[in-house]
Amino acid sequence: MDQIWGDLLFLHWRVDPASVERWMPPGARPDVHDGSTWVGLIGFEMRRAGFGSGHPLPYLGDFAEINVRLYSTDDQGRRGVVFRSLETERLALVAATNPVGVNYRWARIRMERSAEGTGRIGYTSRRRTPPGVGAATDFAVRTTEEVVRDPLSVFLTARFGMHHRLGRRPLWVPNTHEPWPLRRAELLHCRDGLVAAAGLPGVTDDPPESVLWSPGVRTQFGRPRL
């Protein structure tokens, strides 16, 4: 599946690895940097998603998404993500992915992009249906042109796959793309309930330790591997 991810906001908080072990699929464990693992609140625009190369799906291939994710690794050294929730306005996507355990949730989402030159980007969302009906988030940043390439930013964003499960069997879904064009961002506000709804209450009561922005990349998911 080819996709373009655009105008990404990465907000991250450090958490105790023991607090997220229960959500790791079989064969995976929390990935650690500087003694902690991390939880991410990520907002972005999905563009031209579709099967194969150059075949975007009408309507379903373009939408805003906000996800809550954890960071994982396995005995093969693959470093990936584990999604706790993924908000989308496309109800058909929820219906298609929930039966295989991908936690898309139907939500009302608004992406805000200020007039050119001011550099303000924000995402708001409110979940429409259970589980966690009413769970909401509202965060915004002011972007900069300051390039970021420190070890933590690479750890948080260079995740080339997803650890998942199919029943009780571990599943790895590879993902490839060019290195992120990462920029530092200034947090303007963050009022979040999605991380708490994902099972981590209190985490977003404090400001995020890492705030990044990227204009985006073209990316491709490969064939899942048991």
Side-chain angles (χ1 to χ4, degrees), residues 1-145:
M1 294 187 68
D2 277 4
Q3 304 172 352
I4 296 173
W5 300 338
D7 276 325
L8 296 100
L9 302 187
F10 299 91
L11 276 57
H12 283 97
W13 294 260
R14 65 170 72 231
V15 295
D16 185 345
S19 68
V20 301
E21 284 180 349
R22 55 182 165 155
W23 293 309
M24 294 291 114
R29 59 185 180 274
D31 203 0
V32 173
H33 177 84
D34 193 25
S36 299
T37 194
W38 298 71
V39 56
L41 178 65
I42 319 297
F44 67 100
E45 284 191 314
M46 181 84 74
R47 303 169 188 160
R48 299 181 60 80
F51 294 98
S53 179
H55 300 285
L57 295 171
Y59 179 70
L60 289 176
D62 295 274
F63 55 90
E65 178 179 313
I66 301 171
N67 61 60
V68 176
R69 69 189 200 183
L70 308 174
Y71 298 100
S72 52
T73 188
D74 59 26
D75 289 342
Q76 287 72 47
R78 295 173 296 200
R79 307 176 77 179
V81 302
V82 173
F83 290 108
R84 291 294 298 137
S85 64
L86 308 96
E87 313 296 299
T88 179
E89 289 194 296
R90 301 295 186 251
L91 183 58
L93 185 59
V94 177
T97 58
N98 280 197
V100 294
V102 179
N103 298 326
Y104 267 106
R105 307 301 185 209
W106 191 34
R108 187 182 303 277
I109 301 176
R110 181 169 61 89
M111 189 268 193
E112 171 197 3
R113 185 188 294 108
S114 62
E116 186 175 354
T118 58
R120 179 187 170 101
I121 299 175
Y123 290 89
T124 62
S125 175
R126 180 170 294 274
R127 195 173 296 175
R128 295 180 172 189
T129 55
V133 61
T137 193
D138 178 2
F139 54 97
V141 308
R142 181 174 291 109
T143 65
T144 77
E145 292 303 313

Side-chain angles (χ1 to χ4, degrees), residues 3 5 159-161 174-178 217-222:
Q3 304 172 352
W5 300 338
R159 320 297 303 191
F160 294 100
N175 177 262
T176 59
H177 57 76
E178 295 179 352
V217 294
R218 178 181 292 276
T219 182
Q220 185 176 73
F221 281 100

